[in-house]
Each structure stands twice: as C-alpha cells, then as structure tokens.
Amino acid sequence: MKNTQIIAERIKIQSKIQGITVKKLLENCELGVNTVTKMANGTDIFSQNLTKIADYLDVSVDYLLGRTDEPKTVCGHSIKTGDIGDNISHSDTSVKISESQSKQLDETAQQLVNAFQQLNFMEKAKVMGIIAELINK
C-alpha cells in the first residue's frame, strides 16, 4: 500500500472510531468532498489539509502518514509532573517537591502544551527535533 493510501485509510479508520463520517469530517475542516480520495491517489497531499484533519481527529500527522502506529498526540493529553519525572534519569532520586511546587509544575506543563498547540506544523517539527536531540544526549 502506498503512503498516500495509508493516509486515506487511517483517516477513514479514525473517523469511524470517532463515529463521524468522512464527509462530515471534511465539511468541518472546510475541505472538498473528494479530498481523501485525492489523497489516496497521491494528487492532494497538502500539509495544511492533513494538519486540519489530524487536529480534528486528535491524532498526529505522523500517524496519518504511517510513520507511527500511535495515533494520539502529545497535545491531546495533559502532562502531569509524574509523567515528566518518570522519564528523566536523576543521579539523586531523593529529590522532594512540595505540593505547591508540584501544582506549579503541572501549570507550567499545561502552558507548554497550550503553546505547542498554537505552533504550525513546521514549528512543531522543529520543536520535536530539538527535544529528540536533547533526549539522545
């Protein structure tokens, strides 16, 4: 299956899972009724259209492109400080934070998520690249 066919198929699958028709999805994204068909044929793969569809379905563009099998986006979930702490290695694991510090961290994480949601696709890609570099250091 070509990548463009994967995109169209995943759009159809997510629409069905979420109980909406592809026609309704396209109407709500202000896209033409043949957009998904054109995507499957490789004749309409505009990133803006794909971004609108991914945002509407609350899945990542990478999922629609077939680059990952995980449909959810970071933006679709709130980040808790426990999630952050669980993924960071510390030389001193006895670090304690107060309840007010924990609340502030939760608020800061939510602000980061909100700011990330406001970025366009290319800006999000740059941020994710920076994060990947930091993780791999």
Side-chain angles (χ1 to χ4, degrees), residues 31-84:
L31 300 172
V33 294
N34 295 320
T35 300
V36 175
T37 301
K38 289 179 181 179
M39 285 179 172
N41 295 333
T43 58
D44 180 4
I45 194 68
F46 299 113
S47 62
Q48 190 66 22
N49 293 349
L50 201 55
T51 301
K52 284 182 181 180
I53 291 169
D55 287 347
Y56 187 85
L57 294 173
D58 192 31
V59 297
S60 70
V61 172
D62 279 343
Y63 171 77
L64 294 179
L65 290 172
R67 294 172 52 172
T68 180
D69 291 327
E70 179 57 48
K72 287 295 183 183
T73 63
V74 173
C75 299
H77 304 285
S78 60
I79 298 176
K80 304 291 182 204
T81 52
D83 297 337
I84 296 168

Side-chain angles (χ1 to χ4, degrees), residues 51-125:
T51 301
K52 284 182 181 180
I53 291 169
D55 287 347
Y56 187 85
L57 294 173
D58 192 31
V59 297
S60 70
V61 172
D62 279 343
Y63 171 77
L64 294 179
L65 290 172
R67 294 172 52 172
T68 180
D69 291 327
E70 179 57 48
K72 287 295 183 183
T73 63
V74 173
C75 299
H77 304 285
S78 60
I79 298 176
K80 304 291 182 204
T81 52
D83 297 337
I84 296 168
D86 292 343
N87 295 316
I88 299 174
S89 298
H90 296 286
S91 57
D92 179 8
T93 58
S94 65
V95 174
K96 303 266 190 246
I97 60 172
S98 69
E99 188 174 326
S100 65
Q101 288 172 317
S102 176
K103 184 177 179 182
Q104 181 62 41
L105 284 172
D106 283 341
E107 290 171 4
T108 302
Q110 189 60 51
Q111 289 172 348
L112 286 169
V113 170
N114 292 340
F116 186 81
Q117 288 175 318
Q118 302 303 314
L119 299 176
N120 68 40
F121 177 76
M122 292 306 295
E123 293 167 333
K124 287 178 182 176

Side-chain angles (χ1 to χ4, degrees), residues 6-25:
I6 291 171
I7 295 165
E9 188 62 28
R10 288 187 172 194
I11 290 169
K12 291 175 187 176
I13 289 168
Q14 285 300 311
S15 293
K16 186 173 186 175
I17 288 171
Q18 296 184 28
I20 59 170
T21 65
V22 172
K23 181 180 178 184
K24 186 68 174 170
L25 160 73

